[in-house]
Every structure is written in structure tokens, then in C-alpha cells.
Amino acid sequence: MSTNNRILHTRNVSIGFSGKKDNTRAIYSDINVSAGESELVALFGPNGIGKSTLLRSLVRLLSPVSGDIYLYENNINSLSGNNLAKQVGFVSTETVSVNNLTVYDLVSLGRYPYTGWLGRLHQQDIEKVEDAINMVGISSLRNKYINQISDGERQRTMIAKTLAQDTAVIVLDEPTAFLDLPNKYEVVHLLHKLAGERGKTIVFSTHDLNIAIQEADKIWLMLPEGIMQGSPEDLILEGSFGKMFEHTNLMFNTGKGEFRIKRDLRRRTGLRGPKKEVWWTRNALERIGIEVRDNESNDIMITITFIGGKRSWKVSAGNSTRHLESIYDLCVHLADIYTRDQDYQTS
Amino acid sequence: MNKENRQNKNTILFIVLSVTIIIAFLANLFTGTVQVPVQEILRILSGGEASRPEWGVIVTELRLPRSVTALTAGIGLSVSGLLMQTVFRNPLAGPYVLGISAGASLGVAIVVMGLSFITGSASPALQGSWTTVIAAWLGSGLVLMLILLVSFRVRDIMTILILGIMFGSATTALVSVMQFFSTEAMLKSFMIWTMGSLGGVTNNQLWILVPAVAGGVVISLGSVKLLNMMLLGENYSRIMGMNITLARILVFFSTSLLAGTITAFCGPIAFVGIAVPHLSRLLFRNADHAILLPATILVGGIVMLAGDIIAQLPGLESSLPINSVTALLGIPIVIWIVIRNQKLTGIF
């Protein structure tokens, strides 16, 4: 992967709020993480554990309660505001809502650390702005007002602004919040592309684990017992993700790399048929509390076949057999069978 | 609209506004409670002799200073209104949100009370007297000091806004207490001061008023880059390496210089500072202060000159109080803008 895997790193950092006298409160301690060149790092963890606080500390919007943050082996506290602005860009969760501000003008504001006191753009600045706009794919929006574009487009504009800022490190706080699924994927994929093609170090917090596992080179996992880092695959194999929702009704499926809701499966059926159909039928059956047991004698047996090119679900229960045309009908039918059984048993 | 079209539109708008402000200035010179023929005014202005000596006095001692005052006050109040709306990211902020006019009126109230205790009579003409000017200036300067002190210690801009409003309210309450204990004559001369006037400024005083306002405008023009970044809020400004405290102090200082000086010479003048920046945004549809600030300067000058013309509508014995005229003109504009935008959060 990268040549320098310590562009940004922390040493024994405690984050929180520093106040006067006894008011200093650390909300999370012993943070030792690093991010390298060309790396996309996803910060993952439960709500309220301090992801935003950590990210804000990394960009010096907050100061850590204790410990040090290093950028290329320099303590970030030793850098001037302008110097830091040339090396670290930040996209926060707040929505920028300014009337009459065009996409182009907003991206241009990324050149702030480089322009003179009147903020006039020179040829080199204009080239950087154009490049940033093209890179994130918003050239058709350049003259639109930012209040007239969609959330996904606005997020791309904010990313373009940090690109125009021309920094080695970009930190983003929940860039995929409020976006629909395709936009979530596109934004994270864009970040992946920027890390790979532009050699940038990108750290972002997210709640979309599936996307993070697919696109991130490294994950910082903030758990109550401590922060872990590693490639998503390493963390999956070590079983670290499972710990995150130990006390909730979610479970992490190590085989598929995704979270599922823990189900209380009380009934069993047999299921046979083509692979894809079986997978989705099982999905529906688990939702209504039925476990699929293969190669066992079951009271109820479901067989998926194709009759005249159409799917058919054959349900054999005791002596009766029914053919059903959809998974929905199947579920209704099974629910009927079980209520009848229940009535029979109670009466 | 693409970039070239926008630039062309801006150039045309600036030319139109520049021509309009010259016309408005001349029209303002030509109106007054005494009829003076246009060719006479032009002759006097170009250094010639008036055919009646009193016309010469009217034009050089009354009309000209009044028009220059209107122009200066319009520019200064509008610019400080724009600064406050940007810094507080609040569409309803104006030159007086920091409590500057309240501070000025406290100064004036103290003078009215104090003078009447010493001399035993209220001075009938507060407007334009040096004592009033200095008192008002000291009053607004005191409020500015408080605001600067706060901004050194407090970072949250909403807190600063609320403290500014509270200082203003406290000062106004003090003034009310003083009014309660004052005589009818004192009360009347104070009330007349609060109505605002553009006509009380003498040629000598313009030598203070104009440079002070010009200084405030120059500071603002030099802060264009800071103001543009402030639109994105505190976090983005800081991440870009801006020294927020210093930037705010610069802006607060120039606002106080502008609004404080104008209030000192003309009394409080409402709504111009709030309405004009919105009018400029509506005309230019631009958020860049390099465009908005010059636009606000031109529109501000035009609006105040026009307001003063309305205040001196022909056929009236004396001119109407300018504060009421600007309020009556400005309120419909603010209402229209608020209704038109609906979404107040993103009004800039």
C-alpha cells in the first residue's frame, strides 16, 4: 500500500472538553491511531462515543484533553493556522446554506489560505478550482446556487472545496448522513478514488458499515472498551465488529460482513429449490420467525419449482399440499397453518 | 446563467446605480422647503454669484451639507448593516444590534439632563451641536468597548448577539428612567433628537463625519475576504486559518465607527441598515462581498437621498423626521423580502 503510513497519527490522546479548574472531562482516552498516504480510513462506532469529538480534535477545532496529534511527525499545535489550513481540510456535518452563493464561488473559498488579503484568485488558483470541480463531477452545476442543488450534490461541492484547498489530509464528519443509498455509495467511492488517485489521506466517520467495509483501506473502530484499527477484513476475522452490538438485538454476520437483527426462531421448516430463490425465501421465513433446517424431517416442507416458467412454492404439511405463486402468499399461508395449530392446541 | 453573463449583468447594474446616485444627489440638492431655481443652484455650485444672496446661503450652508450628510449616512448605515448581517449570519441584524444607537442615546440623554441642571433650561436644538455629537460618540464608544471585551472572551456568535441586544436594552431602560425624571421641555428636545435629522450637520462638522465614515468603509472593503468566509460560519472560518477574534474585532470596530458617528451627528435612523443589504442582494443575486459591498454603498446612498427628498416633499413647512420616513420606506421592503424568501434560515 502506501510508502508513508503515518501521515497523521495520535499518541495517547484523550478527547473531551477542557474547561477551567475541575471542569475538564475526557470522554474517551488512550487513542493511538494512524492514517497513511493514499489511505481511506473509516471511523466507526456507536452513537455518542465521541467520533465527532475525535475528528474535530484532529483538525484542531478542539484541543485534546491530553496527548498529542502529529501531522508528518509535527505536533499540530506547533503549526500556524494558515499552515495547518494548507495541510488539513475538513467537511463538518453542518449544512452550508447561503443564498446567492454559487457552487463555483463556494469551491473557490477553498483557496482562502493561498490568496492575498482581498481574496482575488490568480491563474493557479483558478486551475485548482477547475480541477477540483471536474474531479468530483459537478462541472454542470458550477453556476447553480448551492441552495438549489440536492444534498448529494452539496456534499460533492463541499468535497470539491477541500480539494481546492489542496491539503494532504481531508477529514469528513459523516459525509453520507442524509444521503440516499446510491449517493452514499457514490460519495464514499469518490473518497476512495481521491485517496487512490491523488494520494490523499482521508478520514471519515460513518454509520454505513457495509459501505465502509467495501471501500475503506482501514477502519478505526471506537468501542467502549477501546479503539481498534486495522483493515476491515482483519477486524471482521478478529470478531471486533460483533462486540459493537453485544448488548443490542443486532448480530454481526462474520460470513457476510453485515449486521442482522437477532431473530427468535421458534418454528422450523425444510426448504429445497434453486439457490437464489432459497436464499430470499429463507430471508422471508426468518422474518416471520421460522428457521430453515436442511436434511431433516420436518412437519412442513417447502419446495420451490418452476412450473411453465413461473416460480411455484409447494408447501407440504402432513397430508395437505398447496402451490403458491409468491413469497408473500407463502408467508400468509404459513401464518394461517400456525394459527390453526395454535387454536387446535389451546381448544 | 453562466459566468460571463453574470459579470456583464453586474457591470450594467453598477453603471445604472452610479448614474442613479448622481441623479439622486442632484435631485436632493434641488429639493427643499424654499424654492430655488435649478439654474441658480447650478450657478452657485460652479462658483458663480446667485441673483439673490439668500439663495447662495441656502445652497452652500444648508442644501449642500444636507445632501452630503444624506449620502454619507446612507452609505455608512447600509455598510454597517451588511457587516452585521454577515458576522451574525442573521438576516434581521442591522447597524444597531450591538446596542450602538442605544449607547448614543444614553450619551445624549445624559447631556440633556446634565445641561438642564446646570443652565436651568433645555437646549432646544440638540441636533448638530458639538456637545451632543461628543456625548453620543462617547455613549456608543462605551457600548463598543463592552462588545469588544465580550468578543475577546466569548466565541459563540449567538452569545455575542444576545449580549449586544441585552446591553442595548439595558441602556434604553436607563434612558427611560432619565426621561421619567426629566421636564417636558427636556423630554421634547430629546424626542426630537430620536426622530433623526439630516439637516443639522454644518459644513465644519462634515470634516469629521465624512472622513470617519470613509474610514469605516475602507476597513470594510479591506475585509471582503474575511466576510466571504464568515458566511460559512465559525468552524469553516477557523479551519481555513482565520483568526476569528481579530476578524470580528475589525468588523465591530468599523461598524461602531460608521453607525456611532452617523448616530452622533444625525440621531438614530432606522431600517436603512437592514433593508439596503437585502435590496442589494436581490439586485445582484450574489454572495461575494467584493460585489455586495460596492452594491450596498451605491444602493444605500440612493435610498437615503431618496428618503430625504420624500421627507422634504414640496409644500411642507418643514421637513418630516427622517427616522420615520426611512422606517415607513424600509418596513415594506423588509416585509416583502421576508415573505418572498419564506425560508429565513438561508436568506443571504
mmCIF file of all heavy atoms in Angstrom, chain B residues 68-83:
data_model
loop_
_atom_site.group_PDB
_atom_site.id
_atom_site.type_symbol
_atom_site.label_atom_id
_atom_site.label_comp_id
_atom_site.label_asym_id
_atom_site.label_seq_id
_atom_site.Cartn_x
_atom_site.Cartn_y
_atom_site.Cartn_z
ATOM 1 N N VAL B 68 -24.828 66.031 1.300
ATOM 2 C CA VAL B 68 -23.627 65.241 1.594
ATOM 3 C C VAL B 68 -23.873 64.354 2.818
ATOM 4 O O VAL B 68 -23.496 63.180 2.839
ATOM 5 C CB VAL B 68 -22.400 66.165 1.806
ATOM 6 C CG1 VAL B 68 -21.196 65.368 2.291
ATOM 7 C CG2 VAL B 68 -22.065 66.898 0.517
ATOM 8 N N THR B 69 -24.565 64.902 3.829
ATOM 9 C CA THR B 69 -24.872 64.118 5.021
ATOM 10 C C THR B 69 -25.751 62.922 4.668
ATOM 11 O O THR B 69 -25.508 61.795 5.117
ATOM 12 C CB THR B 69 -25.582 64.987 6.072
ATOM 13 O OG1 THR B 69 -24.776 66.125 6.325
ATOM 14 C CG2 THR B 69 -25.794 64.224 7.366
ATOM 15 N N ALA B 70 -26.792 63.181 3.844
ATOM 16 C CA ALA B 70 -27.693 62.090 3.458
ATOM 17 C C ALA B 70 -26.908 60.982 2.755
ATOM 18 O O ALA B 70 -27.057 59.798 3.068
ATOM 19 C CB ALA B 70 -28.795 62.617 2.545
ATOM 20 N N LEU B 71 -26.065 61.393 1.816
ATOM 21 C CA LEU B 71 -25.266 60.421 1.059
ATOM 22 C C LEU B 71 -24.376 59.617 2.020
ATOM 23 O O LEU B 71 -24.358 58.383 1.995
ATOM 24 C CB LEU B 71 -24.414 61.163 0.027
ATOM 25 C CG LEU B 71 -23.537 60.331 -0.885
ATOM 26 C CD1 LEU B 71 -24.396 59.523 -1.833
ATOM 27 C CD2 LEU B 71 -22.595 61.239 -1.689
ATOM 28 N N THR B 72 -23.666 60.331 2.898
ATOM 29 C CA THR B 72 -22.730 59.673 3.815
ATOM 30 C C THR B 72 -23.454 58.744 4.781
ATOM 31 O O THR B 72 -23.039 57.600 4.998
ATOM 32 C CB THR B 72 -21.968 60.734 4.630
ATOM 33 O OG1 THR B 72 -21.628 61.802 3.756
ATOM 34 C CG2 THR B 72 -20.716 60.169 5.249
ATOM 35 N N ALA B 73 -24.576 59.237 5.342
ATOM 36 C CA ALA B 73 -25.307 58.431 6.318
ATOM 37 C C ALA B 73 -25.870 57.180 5.654
ATOM 38 O O ALA B 73 -25.819 56.081 6.220
ATOM 39 C CB ALA B 73 -26.432 59.254 6.940
ATOM 40 N N GLY B 74 -26.403 57.346 4.435
ATOM 41 C CA GLY B 74 -26.964 56.192 3.719
ATOM 42 C C GLY B 74 -25.914 55.130 3.486
ATOM 43 O O GLY B 74 -26.137 53.938 3.732
ATOM 44 N N ILE B 75 -24.735 55.575 3.030
ATOM 45 C CA ILE B 75 -23.652 54.625 2.759
ATOM 46 C C ILE B 75 -23.210 53.947 4.055
ATOM 47 O O ILE B 75 -23.130 52.723 4.145
ATOM 48 C CB ILE B 75 -22.462 55.354 2.094
ATOM 49 C CG1 ILE B 75 -22.842 55.804 0.683
ATOM 50 C CG2 ILE B 75 -21.219 54.466 2.068
ATOM 51 C CD1 ILE B 75 -21.827 56.707 0.008
ATOM 52 N N GLY B 76 -22.959 54.751 5.075
ATOM 53 C CA GLY B 76 -22.406 54.218 6.324
ATOM 54 C C GLY B 76 -23.338 53.233 7.007
ATOM 55 O O GLY B 76 -22.925 52.143 7.408
ATOM 56 N N LEU B 77 -24.631 53.615 7.112
ATOM 57 C CA LEU B 77 -25.579 52.725 7.799
ATOM 58 C C LEU B 77 -25.753 51.428 7.027
ATOM 59 O O LEU B 77 -25.831 50.343 7.606
ATOM 60 C CB LEU B 77 -26.930 53.435 7.980
ATOM 61 C CG LEU B 77 -26.936 54.563 9.004
ATOM 62 C CD1 LEU B 77 -28.274 55.284 8.988
ATOM 63 C CD2 LEU B 77 -26.635 54.024 10.400
ATOM 64 N N SER B 78 -25.818 51.514 5.691
ATOM 65 C CA SER B 78 -26.042 50.313 4.898
ATOM 66 C C SER B 78 -24.853 49.376 4.983
ATOM 67 O O SER B 78 -25.014 48.164 5.122
ATOM 68 C CB SER B 78 -26.295 50.688 3.440
ATOM 69 O OG SER B 78 -27.317 51.638 3.363
ATOM 70 N N VAL B 79 -23.646 49.943 4.914
ATOM 71 C CA VAL B 79 -22.450 49.101 5.000
ATOM 72 C C VAL B 79 -22.400 48.418 6.365
ATOM 73 O O VAL B 79 -22.156 47.215 6.460
ATOM 74 C CB VAL B 79 -21.169 49.924 4.740
ATOM 75 C CG1 VAL B 79 -19.929 49.137 5.134
ATOM 76 C CG2 VAL B 79 -21.090 50.319 3.273
ATOM 77 N N SER B 80 -22.680 49.181 7.445
ATOM 78 C CA SER B 80 -22.596 48.545 8.761
ATOM 79 C C SER B 80 -23.694 47.499 8.915
ATOM 80 O O SER B 80 -23.489 46.473 9.569
ATOM 81 C CB SER B 80 -22.634 49.571 9.890
ATOM 82 O OG SER B 80 -23.768 50.373 9.783
ATOM 83 N N GLY B 81 -24.857 47.714 8.287
ATOM 84 C CA GLY B 81 -25.913 46.701 8.310
ATOM 85 C C GLY B 81 -25.451 45.419 7.636
ATOM 86 O O GLY B 81 -25.653 44.315 8.153
ATOM 87 N N LEU B 82 -24.803 45.559 6.478
ATOM 88 C CA LEU B 82 -24.300 44.382 5.759
ATOM 89 C C LEU B 82 -23.277 43.628 6.614
ATOM 90 O O LEU B 82 -23.317 42.402 6.718
ATOM 91 C CB LEU B 82 -23.675 44.810 4.426
ATOM 92 C CG LEU B 82 -23.018 43.698 3.605
ATOM 93 C CD1 LEU B 82 -24.055 42.721 3.099
ATOM 94 C CD2 LEU B 82 -22.236 44.274 2.430
ATOM 95 N N LEU B 83 -22.376 44.376 7.251
ATOM 96 C CA LEU B 83 -21.360 43.745 8.098
ATOM 97 C C LEU B 83 -22.012 42.927 9.206
ATOM 98 O O LEU B 83 -21.655 41.781 9.450
ATOM 99 C CB LEU B 83 -20.443 44.796 8.737
ATOM 100 C CG LEU B 83 -19.577 45.659 7.818
ATOM 101 C CD1 LEU B 83 -18.699 46.581 8.651
ATOM 102 C CD2 LEU B 83 -18.725 44.813 6.908
#
